[in-house]
Each structure stands twice: as structure tokens, then as C-alpha cells.
Amino acid sequence: MTTETLRRPPPGSADPAGSGRNRPRYRRHRPGIAYLFLSPWVLGALLLTLGPMLASLYLSFTDYDLFTTPNWVGLENYRKLFTDDPRFLASAKVTATYVLISVPLKLAAALAVAMLLNNARRGQGFYRSAFYAPSLLGTGVAIALAWRALFTDDGVVDSLTGQVGWDTGGWINEPDYAIYVLIILAIWQFGAPMVIFLAGLKQVPQELYDAAAVDGSGRWRTFRSVTLPMLSPIILFNLVLETIHAFQAFTPAFIVSGGRGGPSNSTLFYTLYLYERGFSQFRMGYASAMAWILLLTVAAITALFFGTSRRWVFYAGENK
Amino acid sequence: MTTHTATVSTGRRLRGLGWHVLIIAMLLLLLYPIAWLLTASVKPTDEILSSLDLLPTRFVPENYSTALDGVAGISVWRFFGNSVIVAVGAVLGNLISCSLAAYAFARLRFRLRGPLFAFTLLTIMLPYHVVLIPQYTIFQKLDLVGTFVPLILPKLLATDAFFIFLMVQFIRGLPRELDDAAEIDGCGPVLTFRYVILPLLKPALVTTTIFTFIWTWNDFFSQLVYLNDPETYTLPLALRLFIDQTSESAFGPMFAMSVLSIVPVVLFFLAFQRYLVEGIATSGLKG
């Protein structure tokens, strides 16, 4: 205790504003304690993250089946995936469709409702929470079961669409429509990005809107020239997170299709097929190759978002 | 002049009213599936799929007693208990390990801090499937598949990087003078963490608790992978087992069980919705 006090610089020399320049330096001398705090993290990072990442990369070049020693097969898994596995290609197509349709629509709904709520004079807190509720419940099995029942043949939605003369022949049993059942479920959970948009809208300075009004800008023009650019960092954030999220969707597809990805592979999500290969057929090497393709795809898309963001993301205080 | 103001305010009030009507109409549409699920749980089975009416013609509370009987001779309370063990274990794990790591990243100095923190941020984007198969192999070799260990241990080892990030951001917002004052009083990092940082970190800890609990409660994928004995099943797995075993003939009890399974999430939501929604708004967490 006394040594610590002695190591400190005399009180007069301490930085009065506390901005950090003349901060006590003892922390520098005790890196051991930092690693003590970090020890659970270090174990997790090595044993459960970094190690497994490298192991799965290795396994993706083998025929590992969980029970016997893996044999090196080179690029065979990857070759088979792309040239000799129609189910894989179907799952990639289903997932791409799901991501491409659900993410933009979900974000559009989130932004639209956030803008509506942002004008609230009263009750904003209540509405915000109420719109958020589906985001919380929607990821569970219970809602997926409800969805399956709502969209089944002659179920509530089928009856309603039938009454307005739109006969789909059932939703979850029609290959052309089944994926939309899951897309609608995803869009229904727009509450989470909405709350983030709402927080972002509060940061837009009122002066900008006043200036736009003085210039005689209409609503659309104000939206294009003020709201969108000011929100663009948050749009990027939501876009990245929702895309990563959508690529990994599993529970709804598993429950709605009874774990099979049907009808005719129309709801065979990428993760569903990965699960089937790995944990039903124990083709762990093959599933590892699929996991790495997923990782590379997600990384490439994230990099693309960040790479192009310079052109469309506007950071306040930046010189144009 | 007065008439003019009067018309303006009437117009504004009408617009305000129109706004509320629009929002409430949207909410009703949005919350319909949840209301449907609630009423389906007390409908006779033959009425659930076909009827467009939200309210049942005949009120069937027996669905709940059938649901409580459970599946495969195992009571629903057992599944409930399993879900609670997994969720509470995950919450404790995240609270302890993430706060320790966050304090080190935010306040302590060590050589690898920059790269290690960057690695943590990158793992937020890492798809779980990439680490799943080797993790599974490890737990299988240790004979731990079928236990709750693979579901809880990763949280104890701070693999939920998002919460580390959340807490680091929060600690960085706390005034450094507090740490300095504690140091003058003779506190080392351990005591400073315990008596200065941890109490102030409470809002971030609450957010972590709520989200870890709800995510773990709703989680299906990792529980599906790691639990293989119905005795250890959590509620999501029990629900699925229920559909398989009754082959959709018992819709009423199935939805009763669904409602039971979301009760804790709804209670958490109602109790903490302010923190929850603000937690997302400030940290960017998702549902």
C-alpha cells in the first residue's frame, strides 16, 4: 500500500484536468494483473474460438466423420459442393433469396416506422416497446410454430388470401411461396433495427430541418438530403448486422419445414443443410467446408459494405 | 385571429389523432400473431387452423393441463427447470467473464491490448458454425455432450464478444478520476474493479443479463446440437419433441406449451422494457 503511494508523482505535478497525460503509471508495471483479469477470455479465445477456427479450416480438407481419424482429401469437399451437390446449390440460392429480400424490406420497415414514431408527441415510449416485442419473441420456437399454423393449407392466411381471389394453393406447402412465409417472419421482427434508427433520428440536429424548411424543401427532398445522409452510419451498422444475422437464420426454417427444408428444398436454409450434413449424417469435414464458405461469404459482404461506405456514408463533422 | 388559431390547433389535433389511429392500426396487425397464439392455446384443437375468429367458440383451459403433463413421460416443469439452469448459467458466465475482460481492455495496460481487442471485435461477426464442429468434437472427447456444460462453459470463458464490447464502451465513459482516487486510497486494480467499476457498471450488467437470458431462453440451435436425452431437454426442444410425438393432432396443448415457454420472456420484457429498449438504442444490440 505504501509503496504504491510512494510510486505516485507528488500531488502538485498531477494533471489537474485529469486528461490523462500525467496519469499514475503503476498500471504499466503490472501487466500480470491484466492477464489475470483476462484469463477466462484468453482461455475462451484460444480453446473455443481461435483453435476451433483453425481446426475447422483443417477439417474442411478432410473426410472427418467424428468417429474415425480424418483423412486429408484436399479440395474434394469444396469441389463436390460446387459441382456435385444440387442440395448445396439449392440451399445457397434459398439463403441468398432470403437475405436479399428480407434484409432491405426489414430495414425499410424499420426506418419508416422509426420516422413515424419520431414525430410522436405522446406515447412514444409505449409504441417503441410494443413494436419491439416481435423482435424478442420472434426468434423462438413458439412463434415459429404459430407461423407454421397461420400459413398452413386452409389456415388463417390461406383463407384470407383465398377470399381476395389470390389462390396460392397453400403457403408452406407450395415451393414458390414457402420462403415468403419465412421472409415475412423476418420482416415482422423489424423492431430491433427500428429502435436503433429511432435513436439515430434523435441525433439529427433540428437546425438542418429548419434550414431545409427555409429553403422550401418538400418532405421527400428533406428526407433525401437531410435524414438519409445523417442516418447513413446507422444504416450501415444495421445493414451489416442484419445481413450477418440473416445468413445464419436457422430456427424458423427448421420449425416451419419440420427440419427438412421442404417443400422441394424451397426452405432449405444454408445452416439447415449444414446441420443435416454435420449432425445427421456426421459428414463433419463436408460441413466444415460449408462453414468456411459461409464465413468467407459473410466476410466478403461485410468488406464490401465497409469498402463502399466511403461513397455513401456521411459522418458529421467530416470535411466534404 | 382567434378563429385562425382555433382552426390551426383543431387541424393539428386531428392530424395527431390520425397519427395515433395509423400507429395503433399497424400495431394491431403486428401483434395479431401473438394474440392469435394466446387464444389458440385455449381453443379446441379442430378450431385452431380453420377458424378465422380470434376468440374460441368454446373455452378449453384443459389444453394447459395436458401441456403441463409434458411429453415422453417428462413433466413440463422438468423442461422448464432445464431451461432455467442453462439460462441462469449463461447469464452468470457472461456477467463474470465479460466484465473482467472489459475492465482489462478498458482500463489496464498490456502489450497486446490493441490486437486482442481487435480480435474480440472481429469475433462478433464470426458465424457460430465455423467454431461449432471443432467445439463439438472437444466436448464429445471430454464426454460432455448431453450435459449443460457446452451451453454454459463458453459464456464463462467470455466468448460472447458483444457484451465485452458493450461493457468496454460503458467503462470508457466512466471518469478516470474515480480510478485515480481509488488508487490514492491504496486500491490496486482488483479492488478498484470490485468497489469502483463494478457498482457503476450496473446498467451495462443489467442489459447483459436481460439479453443473455432472453437469447439463451430462445436459443434452439446449440441446444439441438448438444442435448440428446429428453431428460435434459430445454423448452424449445421439448416443444419440438411434442410436435413429433403427437404428430400435430394436439394443436391446443402444443400452443398452450408454446405460451408457457414464452411467459418468462414476456415477464422479462414487461419488467425491463425501458432498460431493454434503451440498451439497444445505445449499444446497438439486437433482439
Side-chain angles (χ1 to χ4, degrees), chain B residues 152-209:
Chain B
I152 297 173
L153 186 74
K155 315 281 176 183
L156 266 169
L157 297 183
T159 52
D160 262 357
F162 212 114
F163 295 111
I164 301 181
F165 174 65
L166 172 81
M167 291 184 203
V168 164
Q169 293 295 91
F170 195 89
I171 296 174
R172 280 182 180 159
L174 300 174
R176 281 264 191 181
E177 285 77 5
L178 294 169
D179 298 44
D180 295 346
E183 195 195 328
I184 294 171
D185 289 345
C187 292
V190 175
L191 293 179
T192 307
F193 171 73
R194 170 67 189 80
Y195 291 106
V196 178
I197 300 294
L198 214 49
L200 292 171
L201 194 58
K202 212 165 142 195
L205 297 177
V206 170
T207 308
T208 303
T209 304

Side-chain angles (χ1 to χ4, degrees), chain A residues 287-304:
Chain A
S288 297
M290 284 190 69
W292 267 85
I293 293 169
L294 178 66
L295 171 64
L296 294 177
T297 308
V298 168
I301 290 173
T302 310
L304 185 77

Side-chain angles (χ1 to χ4, degrees), chain A residues 23 26 129 148 188 238, chain B residues 30 180 183 248 273 286:
Chain A
R23 201 155 290 294
Y26 79 95
S129 294
R148 182 161 98 164
W188 184 65
N238 272 331
Chain B
L30 201 74
D180 295 346
E183 195 195 328
E248 312 198 351
Q273 43 108 350
K286 299 279 184 162

Side-chain angles (χ1 to χ4, degrees), chain A residues 13 28 32 56 64 89 92 111 113 166 171 195 270:
Chain A
S13 74
R28 280 181 193 286
S56 85
Y64 187 46
L89 296 178
L111 182 56
V113 177
W166 181 17
W171 284 74
V195 171
Y270 196 90

Side-chain angles (χ1 to χ4, degrees), chain B residues 127-252:
Chain B
Y128 178 53
H129 309 82
V130 177
V131 292
L132 174 69
I133 288 166
Q135 275 190 15
Y136 185 87
T137 310
I138 296 171
F139 288 121
Q140 199 229 9
K141 295 239 154 85
L142 296 172
D143 210 16
L144 289 170
V145 169
T147 70
F148 300 138
V149 175
L151 302 171
I152 297 173
L153 186 74
K155 315 281 176 183
L156 266 169
L157 297 183
T159 52
D160 262 357
F162 212 114
F163 295 111
I164 301 181
F165 174 65
L166 172 81
M167 291 184 203
V168 164
Q169 293 295 91
F170 195 89
I171 296 174
R172 280 182 180 159
L174 300 174
R176 281 264 191 181
E177 285 77 5
L178 294 169
D179 298 44
D180 295 346
E183 195 195 328
I184 294 171
D185 289 345
C187 292
V190 175
L191 293 179
T192 307
F193 171 73
R194 170 67 189 80
Y195 291 106
V196 178
I197 300 294
L198 214 49
L200 292 171
L201 194 58
K202 212 165 142 195
L205 297 177
V206 170
T207 308
T208 303
T209 304
I210 301 168
F211 277 97
T212 308
F213 183 88
I214 291 173
W215 287 348
T216 314
W217 195 270
N218 279 341
D219 175 39
F220 176 67
F221 186 59
S222 53
Q223 296 170 5
L224 179 70
V225 166
Y226 281 115
L227 301 178
N228 44 29
D229 173 10
E231 289 278 334
T232 62
Y233 273 11
T234 51
L235 275 167
L237 297 180
L239 264 172
R240 181 186 162 235
L241 184 68
F242 194 84
I243 332 166
D244 288 352
Q245 296 223 334
T246 53
S247 61
E248 312 198 351
S249 57
F251 267 123

